Amino acid sequence: MAGAECCSNPPTLNPNAGIGHVENFGGLDSYLTGTPHSNLAVLLISDNFGYEAPNLRNFADKIAAAGYYVVVPDFFYGDPYDPQNTSRPLQEWIKDHGTDKGFEDAKPVVEALKSKGISAIGAVGFCWGAKVVVELAKPKLIQVAVLLHPSFVTVEDISAVDIPIGILGAEKDQVSPPELIKKFEQVLNAKPEVESYVKVVPNVEHGWTVRYDTGDPEAVKAAEEAHQFVLEWFAKHLK
């Protein structure tokens, strides 16, 4: 489930990326951006490269500009996956950073948002983070979910979700291949009471929404189209 595609096109991490700031939030160092006076919040849960990825923070800023308070926690405690460390392959790294632990760590973040007067929370999960978002969605700890090129997410997970959920998968993806994304769609279509949108995006690879080359106009365009979907999904459902 977490193969080479989860590690392709690694970002150059930058602790100073973005226009927001980092502080402890709900027990985790977190990148915060947007107005803290908004009553609507968006939680971004990163892929295995963590919360210092510039493209991820720029997306957070874009969401914040639409009026949301955005939180991007460091679920890896300063220890994101490092593809340069050949003595610790992804299969070893993941033992220290399971999505089950991510889910437990996300609960105090949600509580911290509620204590600030936030009335509704949306969450976007990328790759590793998509599984955490699904786990938050099942007990309705969040109100709206988006999964982008998910990893570890199963049909059983999707069948347990009863909140508005949008899912974008990549055409070129062995982690969550188009066949699996289409099964997600079938499960959700059988639950018309649940607002859902599922699409396999053509001509893109796993990770395309955050691990794109900013110097490649086609890659940027594909990522921005996904970002626009997220903004529209929240505009429609996060109220």
Side-chain angles (χ1 to χ4, degrees):
M1 288 286 272
E5 287 181 329
C6 280
C7 315
S8 61
N9 305 320
T12 300
L13 301 182
N14 179 358
N16 300 312
I19 59 174
H21 68 281
V22 173
E23 67 177 69
N24 189 289
F25 192 90
L28 297 176
D29 285 344
S30 301
Y31 176 74
L32 306 175
T33 182
T35 172
H37 305 297
S38 175
N39 64 338
L40 302 175
V42 173
L43 180 61
L44 295 192
I45 306 185
S46 74
D47 61 15
N48 42 287
F49 292 107
Y51 84 133
E52 291 182 352
N55 287 353
L56 178 67
R57 289 193 177 184
N58 289 341
F59 186 23
D61 292 337
K62 193 185 295 186
I63 295 171
Y68 304 101
Y69 186 58
V70 185
V71 180
V72 192
D74 176 15
F75 286 99
F76 307 137
Y77 295 87
D79 181 39
Y81 174 65
D82 178 8
Q84 302 297 319
N85 183 357
T86 54
S87 65
R88 196 184 183 205
L90 187 65
Q91 286 71 19
E92 289 299 313
W93 177 88
I94 205 83
K95 291 176 184 175
D96 296 322
H97 300 291
T99 52
D100 51 345
K101 185 175 186 302
F103 172 48
E104 292 304 319
D105 286 342
K107 292 177 184 176
V109 175
V110 169
E111 287 307 312
L113 284 169
K114 289 179 178 175
S115 72
K116 287 177 68 69
I118 296 292
S119 59
I121 303 168
V124 187
F126 308 82
C127 189
W128 182 95
K131 176 69 169 181
V132 179
V133 168
V134 162
E135 294 301 328
L136 290 169
K138 291 177 189 177
K140 296 185 172 66
L141 293 177
I142 56 174
Q143 284 66 57
V144 184
V146 178
L147 312 184
L148 300 174
H149 35 87
S151 296
F152 308 113
V153 177
T154 66
V155 171
E156 290 73 24
D157 288 329
I158 298 300
S159 65
V161 173
D162 290 317
I163 64 170
I165 181 168
I167 305 172
L168 299 184
E171 180 183 36
K172 305 166 189 171
D173 192 334
Q174 293 175 333
V175 179
S176 291
E179 302 78 47
L180 180 61
I181 301 296
K182 285 169 182 168
K183 286 180 184 173
F184 294 167
E185 184 176 31
Q186 290 167 357
V187 166
L188 290 166
N189 284 347
K191 295 167 44 166
E193 72 280 6
V194 178
E195 291 278 353
S196 64
Y197 180 88
V198 182
K199 182 179 180 180
V200 174
V201 180
N203 305 315
V204 296
E205 299 178 359
H206 183 86
W208 92 95
T209 68
V210 279
R211 298 208 302 271
Y212 56 91
D213 177 357
T214 54
D216 179 344
E218 286 301 311
V220 171
K221 180 172 180 284
E224 288 182 344
E225 286 172 354
H227 299 168
Q228 187 59 33
F229 162 74
V230 173
L231 290 169
E232 290 172 0
W233 190 251
F234 286 147
K236 186 175 180 183
H237 297 292
L238 187 58
K239 301 183 187 305

